[in-house]
Amino acid sequence: MATTKAQDPAADSRRWAALFFIGLAQLMIVLDGTVVNIALPSLQRDLGISDGDRQWIITGYTLAFGSLLLLGGRIADYTGRKRTFLIGLLGFAGASALGGAAADFEMLLIARALQGGFAALLGPSALSLLTVTFTQPKERAKAFGIWGAITAVGGAIGLLAGGALTDYLDWRWCLYVSVPIALTAAVGGYAMLAESQNGGRARFDIPGVLLVTAGLVAIVYGTSQAESDGWGSAKVIGLLAGGAVLLAAFAFVEGRVPQPMLPPRLIASRTRGGAYLSAGLAMVGMFGAFLFMTYYLQVVKGYSPIRTGVAFLPMTVAVLVSAGGLATRLLPKLPPRMLIVPGMLLIAFGMLWLRTMEIGTAYVEGVLVSELLLGLGAGVIMPVAFNYATHGVDQRDAGIASASVNTAQQISSSLGTALINTIATSATADYLAAHASQGGSPAFAKKAMLEGFVTAGTWTAGILLAGAVIVAVLMNTSRPEHQAVTEDGEGAGGAEDGEPALAHP
């Protein structure tokens, strides 16, 4: 067994400084997924956007982000992770400035798609830099605990920031705010990060890129259209079926090209499969909660945008306590499913708590309880999922493994939000039809909306409970071994086929 080299204090300090700037970039990516949500009514009025088109302000970002992540991960691996990180930051800053200055809907939509595209470069390069920077088990657990907390709280921080910026400045600042964050992370990253990349000439899997991008876009677009057209419409069925065929063709191609964009060895691992599934389902629960609680607080309870943002702060605190204080300490000591499964159950119970809420339910008795359950659950899941999504992966695959877990999050949040929003809308319409004789009053409209939220929350909880069972069976990995790391950063006695090394009995 190789011996561990004594740590250089200067190098150690540099690593943690680098983590700050990597984490800042990740916060910006996650924050930008929700910061515009609360500003939607204001920007819709200013730019004259129709009700049918307003969804694209959100979907334009998530579609570009999720569908291009795998390509971004491979670019990071072969052209340099630091270089890709810096290009992603500068591009994101430019796209954010363009969006803030948008004069019409088309310009804003282009800016949001560009933000998503540059985020697809930035996300996997940031996580792969974290993976190759922290190789000692204890340091790695701490770094991923911080990373997981940032990822989990970023959405809630975005809602708070969006409310404050919209109330006190203007909706345009929800986009402008990313410019100084990106530039700060770029300057710090340039100074603190070391370059890391695969050797050899870059060869990109163009057929794979086209197939997976087209397939994911078709499925996400089809799911989003189901809200207005219905699941039985020919358009929705055609998009979903076409997307499934394209993704099946992608899987076929990846097993036969010399340098696949998504090497089959990565997703063949039960450990990484469980990590991808848990990260994706956690985002379904969290984004569903953001959607329901935002409308519940503003429409049903009459909260202002800034008050709504403040109402999400307890969820942020719960995530920080859970990820930083609990998951970080337990991650090196327990098998991953011993943390992930309870985390998924907590999120499911948080969604089920919606069933107790009425129009007159006090914040402390309703929203607060749900937020705490959701925050504690997400904080437990995220550090473990991100750690095991990349743990044991060869450095040449660090970028694509990082992209895969980010793709799982983005696509799951897009699909999940569209799915549960369709369920909520349908349940509200059914309630209005069944109680038409009571219609006409604002209280009745609020009751119908709440009925939709409760129904969708119940379905979401069922999805999470099913996912918890799958992870419990699938992710049978033992706790990680505290193995030594050689001078070149490669683990001694790594597990076969990219699996995390297992503890000796």
Side-chain angles (χ1 to χ4, degrees), residues 10-11 15 19 50 94 100 122 146 161 189 215 283 315 329 335 386 390 419 436 438 476 478 488-489:
R15 277 199 309 278
L19 174 62
S50 69
L122 186 55
I146 295 170
M283 286 298 100
M315 182 188 292
R329 288 182 171 85
F386 273 101
T390 58
L419 174 62
Q438 305 173 21
N476 61 346
S478 301
D488 63 0

Side-chain angles (χ1 to χ4, degrees), residues 44 49-56 225:
Q44 183 181 0
I49 302 172
S50 69
D51 289 345
D53 286 339
R54 65 186 176 188
Q55 63 161 325
W56 287 105
Q225 286 297 109

